[in-house]
């Protein structure tokens, strides 16, 4: 899918109508470099990068990125008020044709900035959505064939096509920075290569919870419990023998046996309830531990601490809040997976509590009936002893059963992981990955040669995760020399364009447009080469750039889709 048009409406009136085409599309800040007094005139705030952010907003990006000062991390109140008070609506139109809207593949996305649910607009092809998450799920399903809750998520895939902030503008493959770990990047890259593997992360989390639960259950070893149960069984037989030798009424004896059974059953229920409460507690602890990974760093304190640092560090800081959002979304998904058993456990615990109360009522009624009968002191003593022995038997039997069941669960999860790992790290799988990379690198080599005369490619290796000890595939770029910032920008563009052609060949869901900010570091010749390559291979590249950084060959209306300046800003206020 290509981007055909971006429209900005203010109270129903169109104030910007930007049309895009195949090849290179430039959004230019034409603010003069020096003013009449020779002082530099900043182009910040005219809206060239905001155009890219509005496109990202239409793909589920956070509204705050539109009206937040990137340096001070504070909302620009006048912009925020303008977007809401003037009912600004953003409409993005895509289709399968880059040069004109194809009616058969036309795809229209609309969003506004209002928070009132009755006035909020989240629409795709005229269909409204009640929440941003449902809106994003629909985008993921339509554009990448993603199921709801699937990994990688839609918002993990999009930053490769929309490189606005660090780390996406600085990293070819690890474009989400350190907010995804090795195994999670593995899932992401295998998806990009068109290779499907079962996501192991939820299974590992589940296994960790079950092992913790088993460890609590085995505080008293199973072998010790089994020996105690054997002795308990012998003690019950001895007590029953002594009671049978007493001369008692058969009806009384029958009621005593019923009382023993009730106490045994109640003991089993109590043990099951204790285990259920323990399991619920462990799951909640696991959720709390996962949620604790949400970043709670005070951005303002961090900014003040590094206020005198280099420009590079400032750029890294600029992306902090956005990356926190990626991390938090991933954490919430894991927390939901871990806690999916909680409703059933809570329901079962409540049922056990009701059954224990009912059992106690039956015991109390039966004791009352027995107390009315004439009994000997010895019979009462033996009966009390048997009641206690049956309660102990219930607890011991229940603990052993719980340990056995939990061991089966842990064993089953381990077997599942082994099965997945066996398939994931088999010779056939490695050969398949190698072949997919070979096909990808054919295009990567081509574009890297045309842009900066060197061969860059992607390769992989097997590594072990330090925390879990589980193996995963690490993907990385090999390049003879990309030490300069300009060359790195060329490498990123070469990879993105190469991947687009690869995905088309392999019929892997892929967006046909690439959005770039901060390309001023690229040599002019590289931008010219991007123009030629994107035209030839039918790739859409949209770049926001300062006017004085545009090569003469590109400084033409044919390639410039929008000119902005201090006098002609994106938003008309």
């Amino acid at each position: 899918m290509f981007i055909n048009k971006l429209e900005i409406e203010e109270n129903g009136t169109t104030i910007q109508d930007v049309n895009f085409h195949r090849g290179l599309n430039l959004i230019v800040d034409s603010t003069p470099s020096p003013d009449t007094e020779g002082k530099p005139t900043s182009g910040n705030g005219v809206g060239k990068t905001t155009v890219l952010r509005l496109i990202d907003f239409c793909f589920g990006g956070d509204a705050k990125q539109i009206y937040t000062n990137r340096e001070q991390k504070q909302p620009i109140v006048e912009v925020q008020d303008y977007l809401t008070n003037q009912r600004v609506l953003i409409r993005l139109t895509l289709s399968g044709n880059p040069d004109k809207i194809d009616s058969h593949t036309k795809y229209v996305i609309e969003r506004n900035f209002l928070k009132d649910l009755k006035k909020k607009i989240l629409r795709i092809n005229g269909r409204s959505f009640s929440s941003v998450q449902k809106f994003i799920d629909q985008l993921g399903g339509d554009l990448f064939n993603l199921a709801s809750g699937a990994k990688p998520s839609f918002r993990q895939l999009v930053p490769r096509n929309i490189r606005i902030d660090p780390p996406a503008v600085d990293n070819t493959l690890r474009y989400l920075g350190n907010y995804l770990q090795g195994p999670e990047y593995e899932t992401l890259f295998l998806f990009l290569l068109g290779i499907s593997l079962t996501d192991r992360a939820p299974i590992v989390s589940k296994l960790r919870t079950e092992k913790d639960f088993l460890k609590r259950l085995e505080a008293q070893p199973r072998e010790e419990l089994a020996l105690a149960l054997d002795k308990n069984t012998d003690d019950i037989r001895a007590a029953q023998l002594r009671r049978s030798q007493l001369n008692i009424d058969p009806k009384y004896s029958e009621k005593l046996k019923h009382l023993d059974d009730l106490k045994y059953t109640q003991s089993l229920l109590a043990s099951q309830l204790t285990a259920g409460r323990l399991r619920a507690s462990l799951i909640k602890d696991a959720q709390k531990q996962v949620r604790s990974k949400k970043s709670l760093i005070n951005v303002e304190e961090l900014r003040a601490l590094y206020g005198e640092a280099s420009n590079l560090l400032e750029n890294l800081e600029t992306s902090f809040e956005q990356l926190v959002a990626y991390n938090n979304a991933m954490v919430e998904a894991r927390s939901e997976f871990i806690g999916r058993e909680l409703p059933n456990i809570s329901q079962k615990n409540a049922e056990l509590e009701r059954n224990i109360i009912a059992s106690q009522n039956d015991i109390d009624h039966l004791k009352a009936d027995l107390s009315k009968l004439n009994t000997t002191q010895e019979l009462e003593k033996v009966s009390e002893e048997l009641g206690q022995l049956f309660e102990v038997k219930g607890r011991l039997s229940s603990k052993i059963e719980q340990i056995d069941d939990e061991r089966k669960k842990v064993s089953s999860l381990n077997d599942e992981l082994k099965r997945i790992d066996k398939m994931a790290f088999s010779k056939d799988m490695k050969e398949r990955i190698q072949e997919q990379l070979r096909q990808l690198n054919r295009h990567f080599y081509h574009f890297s040669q045309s842009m900066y005369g060197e061969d860059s490619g992607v390769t992989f290796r097997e590594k072990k995760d330090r925390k879990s000890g589980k193996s995963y595939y690490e993907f990385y770029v090999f390049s003879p020399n990309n030490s300069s910032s300009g060359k790195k920008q060329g490498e990123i563009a070469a990879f993105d364009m190469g991947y687009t052609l690869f995905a088309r060949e392999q019929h892997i869901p892929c967006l046909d447009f690439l959005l770039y900010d901060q390309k001023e570091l690229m040599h002019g010749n590289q931008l010219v080469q991007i123009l030629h390559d994107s035209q030839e291979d039918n790739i859409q590249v949209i770049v926001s750039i300062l006017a004085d950084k545009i090569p003469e060959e590109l400084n033409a209306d044919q390639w410039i889709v929008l000119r902005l300046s201090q006098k002609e800003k994106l938003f008309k206020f």
Side-chain angles (χ1 to χ4, degrees), residues 483-498:
S483 56
S484 71
S485 298
K487 241 176 206 181
K488 186 65 179 178
Q489 294 303 309
E491 175 191 290
I492 291 171
F495 169 77
D496 289 341
M497 294 173 70

Side-chain angles (χ1 to χ4, degrees), residues 125-137:
N125 288 337
R127 177 187 171 190
S128 296
F129 294 85
S130 59
S131 71
V132 174
Q133 189 55 57
K134 291 179 180 178
F135 175 78
I136 291 174
D137 287 345

